[in-house]
């Protein structure tokens, strides 16, 4: 909820299953992701686009401040990470520390969003990239 206390706190949003041809392209060619600042109550939103199809160039780039929409809102700073959610969590453990989780009366500091995760893409690496658990071998079910 948009309380005065929440509006003074930064929020990290991790969009998993990101791909260069869609989420990354939207970041570089539109103001689409800046709209997060109008909908999420925070002093700043740190957006991470995470997926194995994110380009190495985008992952190596400096954080990108997005324009604040005319209707106002929190500033959004975007970054990209080329890899799976598991790899991202290993690379950025501070975002997933106990103090970043929601507690009674306090919102979380980091949220993970499954935005167009590629589950229907037919690309196995993308479909499995957002799973934080270790992959298990397929189980054969014989009648």
């Amino acid at each position: 909820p948009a309380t005065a206390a929440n509006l003074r706190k930064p929020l990290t949003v991790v969009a998993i299953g990101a791909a260069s041809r869609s989420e990354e392209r939207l970041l570089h060619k539109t103001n689409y992701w800046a709209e997060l600042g109008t909908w999420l109550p925070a002093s700043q939103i740190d957006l991470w686009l995470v997926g194995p199809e994110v380009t190495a160039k985008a992952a190596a780039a400096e954080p990108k401040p997005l324009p604040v929409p005319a209707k106002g809102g929190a500033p959004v700073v975007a970054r990209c990470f080329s890899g799976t959610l598991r790899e991202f969590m290993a690379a950025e453990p501070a975002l997933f520390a106990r103090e970043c989780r929601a507690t009674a009366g306090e919102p979380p500091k980091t949220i993970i969003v499954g935005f167009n995760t590629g589950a229907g893409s037919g690309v196995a690496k993308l479909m499995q990239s957002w799973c934080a658990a270790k992959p298990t071998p397929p189980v054969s079910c014989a009648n």
Side-chain angles (χ1 to χ4, degrees), residues 27 30-31 33-34 47 64-68 75-78:
L27 174 62
T30 72
N31 291 332
W33 292 108
L47 170 67
K64 179 179 181 176
L66 304 181
V68 175
V76 177
V77 177

Side-chain angles (χ1 to χ4, degrees), residues 29-81:
K29 297 192 182 258
T30 72
N31 291 332
Y32 179 84
W33 292 108
E35 288 292 322
L36 285 176
T38 63
W39 301 106
L40 297 174
S43 59
Q44 176 175 308
I45 297 170
D46 294 314
L47 170 67
W48 283 91
L49 300 179
V50 176
E53 292 186 357
V54 169
T55 63
K57 180 180 177 183
E62 292 294 317
K64 179 179 181 176
L66 304 181
V68 175
K71 54 189 158 192
V76 177
V77 177
R79 296 168 179 85
C80 295
F81 181 87

Side-chain angles (χ1 to χ4, degrees), residues 106-135:
E106 284 289 318
K109 295 178 181 156
T110 300
I111 59 173
I112 300 172
V113 180
F115 180 80
N116 189 22
T117 61
S121 70
V123 179
K125 186 175 180 180
L126 180 60
M127 293 187 308
Q128 296 169 357
S129 72
W130 52 268
C131 182
K134 286 188 177 181

Side-chain angles (χ1 to χ4, degrees), residues 88-111:
F88 178 69
M89 290 176 80
E92 299 289 338
L95 296 178
F96 303 97
R98 183 170 303 280
E99 59 271 10
C100 292
R101 298 179 189 155
T103 58
E106 284 289 318
K109 295 178 181 156
T110 300
I111 59 173

